[in-house]
Amino acid sequence: RKPTKTFQQEHYTENFIQSILTALGDKLKGSVLVVGGDGRYFGDVAVDKIIKISAANGVAKLIVGQNGILSTPAVSALIRKHQVTGGIVLTASHNPGGPDNDFGIKFNTSNGGPAPDAVTENIYKITTQIKTYSIVPDLKVDITSIGSSSYEVDGAQFQVDVIDSVEVYLQLMKEIFDFPKLQSLIKGSSGRPPFKLLINAMHGVTGPYVKKIFLEELGAQPDNAVNTTPLPDFGGHHPDPNLTYAADLVQAMQAGDFDLGAAFDGDGDRNMVLGKKAFFVNPSDSLAVLAAHLDSIPYFKKTGVKGYARSMPTGAAVDRVAKANNKELFEVPTGWKYFGNLMDAGRLSLCGEESFGTGSDHIREKDGIWAVLAWLSVVEHTGKPVEEILKSHWKQYGRNYFTRYDYENCSAAPCNQMMDELEKKVSAPEFKGVTLSAEGRSGSWWRQEVYVPLTGDIELDVKWALQTLVQVDGAQFQVDVIDSVEVYLQLMKEIFDFPKLQSLIKGSSGRPPFKLLINSMHGVTGPYVKKIFLEELGAQPDNAVNTTPLPDFGGHHPDPNLTYAADLVQ
């Protein structure tokens, strides 16, 4: 993943595609590849380049989603169904799209999963040495219409199959889930009212999948799905299904009478699930609940439940289920590719990450739509609403508290420096066994290295494989660094009618804008004022002053009265 403008540099994308194909080695000639992406800006250009370069390199066939559209889970499903060489996925996942945002190209191997480290390292090595690429510049292939086209290139046949983006994935979901039961749940039956959904595709790739599966197949109403048209810039939004970027879903769930809400990211592999009135199911709990109820899904009645896995940063709620069910539990480094070898070895049925990713061994990618269908299966099987399911789960297994915080657009250098310094500190011989204390309580710190299952490798990249815990009086104690404003903002939204306040401040027909002047006095309220009054309620930037917290409050006395706030009075 890089800025779109990087891929638009002369020869950049061509060189990268050639490097992927070269890395196939003796598997390149006569290979078959799946190609598709999330519909973001520059995707159509990239597909055209892939077709022309593949033709020149002896690839026998490309399976391309219509208009270049394929969700990441669908790519994995197609690779596995057709048993092909691999796939090229055009996505920057949950990151924003457009000419000034991000684009990405990744390679999935023949098992349908992300390329393992050895493959990606080889591709990177080739990119540092590449001098030329092969291309058929005049080859024109129409990817807007479903059908098969054949061409002769240097005496060999080259075929491009343009396919329905949804059909193979839909059939796979029908093999996994009991669609008639889910139809009955959603449409309602005697003694059971219709189960109302609200699904937000965030203008990402899942739009066509949502309309086909939830509306046409399961019978949800047209207004149960929103933002279902894939757009190159995702409608100007950040296609990340969380409480921040799917705030419109949260607000609609709070205001409406929907039973379950869901959002999916740009390429369809991440999901967020909400219960009635926007009851939030955090990803760690979601994984644990599904683990406890896999018997409600026909697929697992056939295959059996082999084991569970989670990434290292993910909350340990699923560990409790594994212990209760006497199943294997694996903890892996961050990266979905580390689940794949466990699945291929027949040791893993269900896995997930705290970054809103959940999936099973039906493919080798996380799968947002699969996760929501799984939740609907649990609701149908138990007859309980989402919130009650989760609260019953906590009562039976106990509750693990987990929160994720994202720090975006940070400069890499100081972040790397921080992690390097932390690594040095906790790895130093003199630090081992050091006791830390505060307020009469004490504990010791330790470092946990995360092993890649079945390989014995230790992941030493401390950016995501370093877990620092503290043991206090025999119990694990965790420190979460939180967004100082977000929880308070959500509380204010529960108390006050923000839309009415927005209308007051911005003005409306017959009512001029209501002008504010807020002085934070260089105190702690600065970030709160900017977030609530400026960003949320729509006040102008010059309506707030002294919003940067300073250690000495700018040399002033931070007491809001006529004397010390005289600058506001004036």
Side-chain angles (χ1 to χ4, degrees):
R1 174 176 65 89
K2 291 182 179 295
T4 304
K5 285 182 170 58
T6 299
F7 284 95
Q8 290 177 310
Q9 294 177 88
E10 187 178 17
H11 305 308
Y12 184 93
T13 298
E14 290 88 342
N15 283 329
F16 192 74
I17 294 166
Q18 181 66 64
S19 297
I20 290 173
L21 297 180
T22 301
L24 292 175
D26 57 9
K27 297 178 182 177
L28 175 57
K29 298 296 182 183
S31 60
V32 179
L33 300 172
V34 176
V35 179
D38 58 17
R40 70 179 57 230
Y41 182 85
F42 192 67
D44 54 347
V45 177
V47 171
D48 182 62
K49 293 179 185 294
I50 291 169
I51 292 172
K52 291 174 177 176
I53 295 171
S54 296
N57 277 271
V59 173
K61 183 167 75 171
L62 295 180
I63 301 172
V64 183
Q66 186 179 18
N67 296 311
I69 294 287
L70 282 175
S71 73
T72 294
V75 170
S76 185
L78 284 160
I79 292 171
R80 294 176 64 78
K81 176 179 175 59
H82 296 295
Q83 298 182 333
V84 301
T85 312
I88 299 176
V89 192
L90 306 171
T91 179
S93 188
H94 56 292
N95 296 286
D100 297 318
N101 287 303
D102 293 339
F103 190 77
I105 302 177
K106 75 169 187 172
F107 180 69
N108 282 24
T109 55
S110 59
N111 75 341
D117 290 339
V119 175
T120 57
E121 287 167 6
N122 186 34
I123 293 172
Y124 172 72
K125 181 180 178 181
I126 294 169
T127 66
T128 65
Q129 302 169 347
I130 189 170
K131 296 291 190 294
T132 62
Y133 60 85
S134 299
I135 190 168
V136 182
D138 298 326
L139 180 62
K140 303 291 184 184
V141 179
D142 178 15
I143 62 169
T144 64
S145 300
I146 294 174
S148 182
S149 304
S150 293
Y151 310 87
E152 185 173 321
V153 180
D154 294 333
Q157 287 297 305
F158 174 63
Q159 182 174 329
V160 178
D161 290 348
V162 179
I163 64 166
D164 183 297
S165 303
V166 180
E167 188 58 32
V168 167
Y169 180 82
L170 167 63
Q171 295 307 318
L172 177 60
M173 293 303 102
K174 285 185 169 182
E175 293 171 10
I176 294 171
F177 299 101
D178 189 330
F179 268 45
K181 282 187 176 180
L182 299 185
Q183 286 173 341
S184 178
L185 169 70
I186 290 172
K187 292 182 177 181
S189 56
S190 57
R192 194 172 196 174
F195 189 84
K196 291 189 67 176
L197 301 176
L198 183 58
I199 298 181
N200 189 343
M202 303 188 81
H203 288 302
V205 74
T206 59
Y209 297 80
V210 166
K211 288 193 286 187
K212 185 68 176 179
I213 294 172
F214 293 97
L215 304 191
E216 295 181 29
E217 292 286 337
L218 298 181
Q221 297 301 305
D223 60 357
N224 293 163
V226 298
N227 300 328
T228 54
T229 302
L231 296 176
D233 65 347
F234 306 105
H237 301 296
H238 194 136
D240 195 356
N242 58 38
L243 295 174
T244 299
Y245 295 116
D248 54 340
L249 174 67
V250 176
Q251 292 163 4
M253 290 292 295
Q254 289 172 335
D257 62 345
F258 301 100
D259 296 296
L260 183 147
F264 306 115
D265 72 333
D267 67 323
D269 61 357
R270 300 180 189 224
N271 75 94
M272 178 175 72
V273 172
L274 302 174
K276 208 171 187 68
K277 296 302 176 185
F279 179 83
F280 175 58
V281 181
N282 82 54
S284 300
D285 279 334
S286 181
L287 175 63
V289 168
L290 295 182
H293 292 280
L294 288 183
D295 60 346
S296 65
I297 300 172
Y299 173 84
F300 294 104
K301 291 180 180 179
K302 297 176 186 175
T303 65
V305 178
K306 307 174 187 73
Y308 315 121
R310 61 174 174 82
S311 63
M312 179 274 288
T314 302
V318 71
D319 301 33
R320 297 171 180 266
V321 180
K323 184 177 181 181
N325 292 349
N326 194 29
K327 299 293 183 184
E328 280 193 295
L329 186 284
F330 298 93
E331 181 185 51
V332 307
T334 299
W336 204 261
K337 58 189 173 184
Y338 297 113
F339 295 124
N341 60 337
L342 289 165
M343 293 178 182
D344 291 342
R347 304 276 291 277
L348 176 60
S349 293
L350 178 74
C351 52
E353 296 178 330
E354 42 72 44
S355 54
F356 294 86
T358 319
S360 86
D361 60 350
H362 67 289
I363 56 173
R364 296 297 182 266
E365 289 277 10
K366 46 185 174 278
D367 191 345
I369 286 177
W370 175 92
V372 173
L373 291 171
W375 262 98
L376 290 175
S377 300
V378 175
V379 170
E380 192 281 329
H381 183 73
T382 62
K384 297 177 180 179
V386 171
E387 182 172 355
E388 187 178 338
I389 289 171
L390 201 53
K391 289 181 176 178
S392 296
H393 181 91
W394 292 334
K395 186 175 181 179
Q396 179 177 353
Y397 295 99
R399 183 175 183 182
N400 287 64
Y401 286 84
F402 174 87
T403 305
R404 169 190 169 104
Y405 296 93
D406 292 301
Y407 298 84
E408 298 176 350
N409 300 319
C410 299
S411 174
C415 294
N416 290 334
Q417 181 183 356
M418 178 188 72
M419 295 306 298
D420 289 342
E421 291 177 359
L422 177 60
E423 165 72 359
K424 291 175 184 176
K425 188 175 186 67
V426 299
S427 300
E430 62 271 17
F431 194 77
K432 186 175 182 180
V434 168
T435 298
L436 307 176
S437 61
E439 299 181 356
R441 308 189 76 186
S442 62
S444 58
W445 294 76
W446 74 92
R447 176 179 188 233
Q448 176 173 316
E449 293 172 335
V450 182
Y451 291 79
V452 180
L454 306 186
T455 68
D457 296 337
I458 302 176
E459 282 298 333
L460 295 177
D461 186 346
V462 298
K463 295 183 190 67
W464 43 262
L466 177 66
Q467 184 178 43
T468 305
L469 307 170
V470 63
Q471 190 80 12
V472 181
D473 298 340
Q476 182 174 314
F477 175 68
Q478 180 174 331
V479 179
D480 288 336
V481 180
I482 67 168
D483 182 329
S484 308
V485 180
E486 188 61 30
V487 172
Y488 183 78
L489 168 63
Q490 296 307 319
L491 177 62
M492 293 301 100
K493 284 186 171 181
E494 292 173 11
I495 296 171
F496 300 102
D497 189 331
F498 268 44
K500 283 187 177 179
L501 299 184
Q502 287 173 341
S503 179
L504 168 69
I505 292 172
K506 292 182 177 180
S508 57
S509 57
R511 192 174 196 177
F514 188 85
K515 293 186 69 175
L516 301 176
L517 183 58
I518 300 178
N519 188 345
S520 293
M521 304 185 79
H522 289 302
V524 71
T525 61
Y528 297 79
V529 165
K530 289 194 286 187
K531 184 68 176 179
I532 294 173
F533 292 96
L534 304 191
E535 294 182 29
E536 292 288 335
L537 298 181
Q540 297 301 306
D542 60 358
N543 293 163
V545 297
N546 300 326
T547 55
T548 302
L550 296 175
D552 65 347
F553 306 102
H556 301 294
H557 193 135
D559 194 351
N561 58 37
L562 294 174
T563 301
Y564 295 116
D567 55 341
L568 174 66
V569 176
Q570 294 164 1

